[in-house]
RNA sequence: GGAGGGGUGCCCGAGCGGUCAAAGGGAGCGGACUGUAAAUCCGCCGGCGUACGCCUACGCAGGUUCGAAUCCUGCCCCCUCCA
């Protein structure tokens, strides 16, 4: 068997280089990568995972799909679960200390993580290692020896340290250590290549220096752009709430993809469905000229992306459902049930504010009142704006709040 | 160790004894317009069952005062400069 074949088609090292680096922002360096490929042995490709946030989103998927190319070419993906750092608790983010994770939590998160990564990579062919394996045994002298290999000045060059210092925001000592920790991982797994988002460039480059300091051949570093989130401005991240999770149900994934600003389309087409640059350029022209409706491009793209994670059929359904609910303003075919206890009804009626909060469509009565006053709440398409309204409900009635919150009421016998 | 600056709502930021649930901006939410796009416009934006009422809130804990985000004391935390 050949290490350099895709579906049986042999590739020369030069062709591999071409495939593997397509769309990359940084490759440090192409020459070194080519050299490694020429040796004809499977390369070890490192990818670091944070065990505190096991929710994979499309932003993560960008480097992961590139790892998939490596895997298809017979190379070995090495996943490092950063449980050591996760257990210490990273005080960065300046507002609150991240919670420390117990060993069980880390394991559970890692398992979730692996399951999600499995949607993109063949996980059975990946090596999964925990960095606590070596760090929990490293004594203070080992850490000091590692720290001695790097200088403060070089560490402070890092963009976000510089920015935070400038903004008078705190930078904890351990944060300076993080790049070293990550770099040492590269030493321990004997990485040939490390890939990540452009925000990881600095850390990964430190990896090269540290590997040299430990007399190893430095890893090749490759970065891909950070995907911008659904808000159209910030990078996709869970904490900003602008993310599309790979485990989002088809309908939700589809809807989120449809709601991205048009300006994001070229980037999404390139990074998520790997549309060739010429095609993207052509589409942009057509859109500018009004020859195609961006909505249709989005629909096509959303279908392709949903299909990657949920299959063709689910993708097709999501598209049709979307059209039905949002274009034609019909009711969704599937709505969550709102259970109302008969005991909550007074002669068949319930306070609308209460109904809204019970349904989970508003976090507080005050919020529910606001929504009602603003005309966002309807029952069976009847908008009700009286916040004091007592409404009659029967099983089967549909409560709607805003554009996208729907529920079908079920009256349960109760005390 | 010394000197100085600062901690306000999800974020930024004004307020510096009453008229403060706290200006302004951002984010978010709702409505209009649409393609669940962008832009724009209007409205909302701590909680409490129906309330010119009550509770919670301006780092934490006390105090002064009829009354404190605003003054005083102690503590915690951040930043800058010097050592």
């Amino acid at each position: 068997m050949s290490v350099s074949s895709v579906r049986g088609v042999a590739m020369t090292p030069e062709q591999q280089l071409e495939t593997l680096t397509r769309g990359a922002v940084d490759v440090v360096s192409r020459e070194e990568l080519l050299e490694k490929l020429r040796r004809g042995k499977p390369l070890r490709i490192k990818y670091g995972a944070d065990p505190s946030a096991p929710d994979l989103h499309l932003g993560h998927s960008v480097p992961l799909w590139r790892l998939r190319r490596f895997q298809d070419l017979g190379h070995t993906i090495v996943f490092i679960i950063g449980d050591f750092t996760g257990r210490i608790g990273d005080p960065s983010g300046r507002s609150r200390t991240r919670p420390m994770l117990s060993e069980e939590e880390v394991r559970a998160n890692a398992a979730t993580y692996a399951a999600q990564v499995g949607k993109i990579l063949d996980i059975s062919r990946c090596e999964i290692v925990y960095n606590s394996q070596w760090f929990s045994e490293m004594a203070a002298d080992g850490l000091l020896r590692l720290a001695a290999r790097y200088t403060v000045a070089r560490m402070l060059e890092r963009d976000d340290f510089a920015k935070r210092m400038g903004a008078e925001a705190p930078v904890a000592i351990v944060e300076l250590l993080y790049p070293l920790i990550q770099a040492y991982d590269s030493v321990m797994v004997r990485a040939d290549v490390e890939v990540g988002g452009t925000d990881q460039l600095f850390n990964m480059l430190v990896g090269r220096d540290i590997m040299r300091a430990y007399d190893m051949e430095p890893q090749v570093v490759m970065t891909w752009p950070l995907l911008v989130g659904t808000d159209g401005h910030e990078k996709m991240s869970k904490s900003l709430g602008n993310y599309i999770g790979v485990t989002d149900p088809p309908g939700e994934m589809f809807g989120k993809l449809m709601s991205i600003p048009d300006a994001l389309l070229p980037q999404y087409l390139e990074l998520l469905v790997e549309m060739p640059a010429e095609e993207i350029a052509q589409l942009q022209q057509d859109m500018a000229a009004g020859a195609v409706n961006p909505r249709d491009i989005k629909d096509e793209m959303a279908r392709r992306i949903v299909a990657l994670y949920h299959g063709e059929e689910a993708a097709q359904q999501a598209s049709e459902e979307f059209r039905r609910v949002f274009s034609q303003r019909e009711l969704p075919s599937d709505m969550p049930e709102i259970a109302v206890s008969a005991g909550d009804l007074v002669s068949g009626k319930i306070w609308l504010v209460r109904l809204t909060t019970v349904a989970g469509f508003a976090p507080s009565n005050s919020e529910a009142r606001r929504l009602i006053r603003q005309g966002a709440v309807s029952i069976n398409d009847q908008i009700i704006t009286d916040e004091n309204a007592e409404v009659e409900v029967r099983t089967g009635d549909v409560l709607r709040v805003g554009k996208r919150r729907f529920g079908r009421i079920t009256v349960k016998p109760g005390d």
Side-chain angles (χ1 to χ4, degrees), chain A residues 169-282:
Chain A
V171 175
I173 302 279
V174 281
E175 292 185 73
L176 295 179
L177 256 26
Y178 267 58
L180 291 177
I181 301 258
Q182 188 176 328
Y184 190 69
D185 287 342
S186 294
V187 172
M188 293 312 286
V189 302
R190 307 186 117 10
D192 288 302
V193 178
E194 179 165 9
V195 307
T198 49
D199 59 337
Q200 290 298 310
L201 179 63
F202 179 88
N203 288 349
M204 297 193 293
L205 289 176
V206 174
R208 284 170 60 85
D209 293 330
I210 293 300
M211 288 174 89
R212 278 198 203 97
Y214 282 82
D215 293 324
M216 293 180 65
E217 181 180 297
Q219 61 185 0
V220 169
V221 165
M222 304 173 79
T223 67
W224 272 273
L226 296 175
L227 193 70
V228 173
T230 52
D231 62 331
H233 301 288
E234 305 286 342
K235 76 169 185 186
M236 185 173 285
S237 85
K238 194 183 177 188
S239 54
L240 290 173
N242 61 356
Y243 72 106
I244 303 175
V246 300
T247 52
D248 281 352
E252 203 178 321
M253 190 182 271
F254 193 93
K256 285 181 182 175
L257 285 165
M258 289 303 282
S259 78
I260 65 167
D262 290 355
L264 245 44
L265 261 178
Q267 190 192 358
Y268 272 47
L269 289 169
E270 181 200 337
L271 296 174
L272 299 176
V273 300
E274 302 194 45
M275 182 180 278
E278 315 80 68
E279 265 181 68
I280 294 174
Q282 182 61 46

Side-chain angles (χ1 to χ4, degrees), chain A residues 1-19 37 72-75:
Chain A
M1 68 177 186
S2 164
V3 295
S4 53
S5 64
V6 184
R7 292 181 210 93
V9 181
M11 284 180 96
T12 66
E14 287 75 14
Q15 288 170 323
Q16 284 197 56
L17 180 72
E18 177 58 34
T19 305
L37 290 168
D72 285 343
L73 288 166
H75 301 292

Side-chain angles (χ1 to χ4, degrees), chain A residues 16-85:
Chain A
Q16 284 197 56
L17 180 72
E18 177 58 34
T19 305
L20 294 170
T21 60
R22 189 179 304 147
V25 176
D26 305 284
V27 181
V28 183
S29 65
R30 297 179 70 91
E31 294 71 31
E32 286 178 34
L33 179 56
L34 183 59
E35 171 60 28
K36 284 173 190 276
L37 290 168
R38 280 192 173 135
R39 289 177 201 151
K41 292 197 308 193
L43 300 180
R44 298 172 60 74
I45 320 300
K46 174 194 170 197
Y47 185 78
D50 171 9
S52 64
D55 261 335
L56 227 57
H57 54 63
L58 294 185
H60 299 115
S61 83
V62 173
L64 287 173
W65 283 110
R66 276 66 193 180
L67 284 178
R68 172 64 182 272
R69 289 191 207 147
F70 274 100
Q71 191 170 50
D72 285 343
L73 288 166
H75 301 292
T76 305
I77 308 302
V78 183
F79 264 100
I80 300 194
I81 309 283
D83 64 331
F84 176 73
T85 40

Side-chain angles (χ1 to χ4, degrees), chain A residues 254-266 268-269 275 280 282-303 305 319 322-323 327:
Chain A
F254 193 93
K256 285 181 182 175
L257 285 165
M258 289 303 282
S259 78
I260 65 167
D262 290 355
L264 245 44
L265 261 178
Y268 272 47
L269 289 169
M275 182 180 278
I280 294 174
Q282 182 61 46
L283 273 177
Q284 281 182 283
Q285 260 184 31
D286 293 346
M287 283 191 278
V292 293
N293 185 341
R295 205 215 86 98
D296 298 329
I297 311 291
K298 263 192 218 170
D299 178 87
E300 165 77 23
M301 176 187 79
R303 255 185 295 149
I305 293 171
S319 170
F322 183 86
R323 206 170 282 271
S327 302

Side-chain angles (χ1 to χ4, degrees), chain A residues 103-122:
Chain A
E103 198 167 331
E104 299 78 69
E105 285 172 310
V106 168
R107 299 281 153 182
N109 287 353
T112 311
Y113 197 88
Q116 296 180 14
V117 168
K119 285 176 172 288
I120 298 174
L121 295 170
D122 179 353

